[in-house]
Amino acid sequence: IRSELTRPELVQLLDEMLRDKDRNIRLEEVPIPSRCSWVGKTLGQLGFQKETHVFLVAVRDAQRNFRYGPTPEYVLVENAVLVVLGHEADVATLRARVASASA
């Protein structure tokens, strides 16, 4: 209740994301396997946000530390997890790109 009183717009956004089946916008985790060719590259080099239209909220590193709003200079490490906001189809495209870079 406190969150709803102090941040009503944020609470409404999260509520709509969780309940609205038509918009299909989700907050998702996308793991980066250790064998992925993205490891050691910067987010700017990868450019996946422009291609997949997902919004990168945070990256969790192998030590489970979060970097919120990482910059294009952020370097991905083994076993990182991307936390993204986007349409289900766009997140699926990102997952496919990670899988092909991990094969």
Side-chain angles (χ1 to χ4, degrees):
I1 294 174
R2 180 177 165 209
S3 289
E4 195 165 345
L5 292 173
T6 59
R7 297 176 295 233
E9 300 303 321
L10 181 58
V11 170
Q12 181 179 352
L13 170 72
L14 294 172
D15 188 50
E16 285 183 20
M17 280 176 39
L18 293 172
R19 297 177 194 273
D20 190 341
K21 302 293 184 212
D22 295 328
R23 291 190 188 163
N24 297 316
I25 296 175
R26 300 286 180 255
L27 194 59
E28 295 280 345
E29 298 177 7
V30 179
I32 305 298
S34 59
R35 66 187 182 283
C36 185
S37 65
W38 290 16
V39 172
K41 294 185 179 173
T42 67
L43 295 173
Q45 287 174 309
L46 297 170
F48 65 85
Q49 289 176 274
K50 290 179 184 176
E51 293 177 23
T52 62
H53 308 290
V54 297
F55 176 75
L56 182 60
V57 176
V59 178
R60 192 199 76 204
D61 64 23
Q63 290 75 39
R64 304 186 63 78
N65 298 311
F66 283 97
R67 171 70 62 94
Y68 300 99
T71 64
E73 293 79 27
Y74 184 87
V75 178
L76 282 181
V77 297
E78 290 184 351
N79 302 311
V81 175
L82 306 176
V83 179
V84 299
L85 178 67
H87 291 275
E88 287 180 359
D90 294 333
V91 175
T93 299
L94 175 59
R95 288 184 196 278
R97 287 201 58 214
V98 170
S100 69
S102 302

